[in-house]
Amino acid sequence: MNQPTPHLTGSRPDLAPLVFYGEEIASRLLLGTALYPSPQIMADAVKAARAGIVTVSLRREQARGRTGERFLELIRALDVRVLPNTAGCRTAKEAIATAEMARELFDTPWIKLEVIANPDTLQPDLFGLVEAAGVLSREGFRVFPYTTEDLGAGERLLNAGCRVLMPWGAPIGSGQGLANRFGLRSMRAYFPDVPLVIDAGIGAPSHAAAAMEHGYDAVLLNTAVAKAGDPVAMAAAFAGAIEAGRTGFEAGLIEPRDMASPSTPVAGTPFFELNRKP
């Protein structure tokens, strides 16, 4: 399957480029393709988001038969890079088999790797994730692992062959935003040279902007756009938030302070006594 890198109207050429596995991506917003009211609204939202990558669940679309085939044709027509994912897989073995089918179907070695531990929180199974990542990396896949902010798990995924980490902001679809900002900031500091993508839990454009201000390289989201009252307008809002947050980070944000800091220094400032008598 052809996997172009789009040149996006309105993107900021002065910002540092986003690079995954040696390939430059023109947008820092990655968008999911599930849950939209209609296929056409999904396509319009992808365009409004100026997304450089869209994710597709192979298992979900396979289960839909002919409807799934038409959906995949629509995805191909979007002319953006497709990142298949192993959503819904509960074991490393299941995720590996799904990834191998996705490579054949989409003609890409890129895979978003999900191994789910808990059906309520959809938290990643870090043990199965590391196992599957190692096998797939040895098979030539370029793995994008859906993980947590756990530093030990991040190290093991990198040792397994991953060159990107995708920690969750909060449980999938929860809209909570960045639930553990301390942990996410620590992860950014601990892996300064690794592309980091916030994946899951983003609910508002402000959450996406905050992720970029923390120095994260990109954001992947789905529900916050697909389930919005106006998905197309929301997609455009997220695109603006991503750009604003990244620009702020690269411009150099000031450090928070416990005390006030006057914008006009007191020292050397003339004072006038308005009621002074001659």
Side-chain angles (χ1 to χ4, degrees):
M1 181 177 181
N2 184 33
Q3 297 283 9
T5 299
H7 298 281
L8 302 178
T9 302
S11 61
R12 289 284 304 279
D14 54 315
L15 297 182
L18 173 64
V19 178
F20 292 141
Y21 289 101
E23 296 190 33
E24 186 172 326
I25 306 299
S27 170
R28 294 178 181 273
L29 177 55
L30 289 62
L31 199 62
T33 55
L35 305 176
Y36 289 87
S38 73
Q40 187 58 55
I41 290 176
M42 182 273 293
D44 291 342
V46 170
K47 294 176 183 177
R50 306 193 298 274
I53 294 175
V54 296
T55 62
V56 178
S57 169
L58 177 64
R59 288 163 56 88
R60 182 185 300 116
E61 298 315 321
Q62 278 189 321
R64 292 177 180 170
R66 292 181 60 85
T67 302
E69 292 176 8
R70 291 195 296 271
F71 181 85
L72 295 178
E73 291 174 1
L74 177 61
I75 293 295
R76 294 186 178 98
L78 294 174
D79 197 32
V80 296
R81 175 178 280 280
V82 173
L83 178 62
N85 70 46
T86 63
C89 292
R90 299 292 302 275
T91 67
K93 182 178 180 180
E94 189 179 11
I96 291 166
T98 302
E100 290 170 343
M101 288 188 290
R103 179 164 59 180
E104 181 176 348
L105 179 62
F106 292 102
D107 190 25
T108 177
W110 285 24
I111 191 73
K112 180 191 170 189
L113 181 62
E114 296 184 26
V115 183
I116 300 302
N118 184 281
D120 295 321
T121 65
L122 300 180
Q123 182 174 4
D125 176 352
L126 300 180
F127 302 100
L129 186 66
V130 171
E131 178 186 348
V135 172
L136 292 174
S137 294
R138 290 191 292 273
E139 292 184 1
F141 281 88
R142 303 293 182 259
V143 180
F144 294 69
Y146 164 60
T147 182
T148 69
E149 65 274 23
D150 185 280
L151 300 182
E155 286 187 322
R156 285 166 174 77
L157 288 166
L158 295 175
N159 291 335
C162 299
R163 295 295 175 263
V164 178
L165 297 175
M166 304 180 71
W168 65 349
I172 293 173
S174 68
Q176 295 178 19
L178 307 182
N180 183 3
R181 295 198 180 204
F182 172 80
L184 292 170
R185 286 195 298 266
S186 297
M187 191 173 207
R188 176 71 285 176
Y190 197 78
F191 300 112
D193 300 319
V194 177
L196 299 181
V197 181
I198 292 293
D199 177 14
I202 296 296
S206 58
H207 299 159
M212 304 307 291
E213 290 170 357
H214 287 335
Y216 276 73
D217 296 282
V219 170
L220 193 162
L221 57 93
N222 187 172
T223 306
V225 169
K227 302 296 284 186
D230 185 339
V232 178
M234 186 61 75
F238 271 104
I242 293 285
E243 183 175 304
R246 183 67 189 189
T247 302
F249 170 75
E250 294 194 3
L253 299 165
I254 65 171
E255 291 294 329
R257 294 170 53 95
D258 293 329
M259 301 293 290
S261 176
S263 57
T264 302
V266 175
T269 302
F271 289 87
F272 299 94
E273 297 181 37
L274 299 181
N275 296 322
R276 182 178 181 184
K277 296 181 180 179

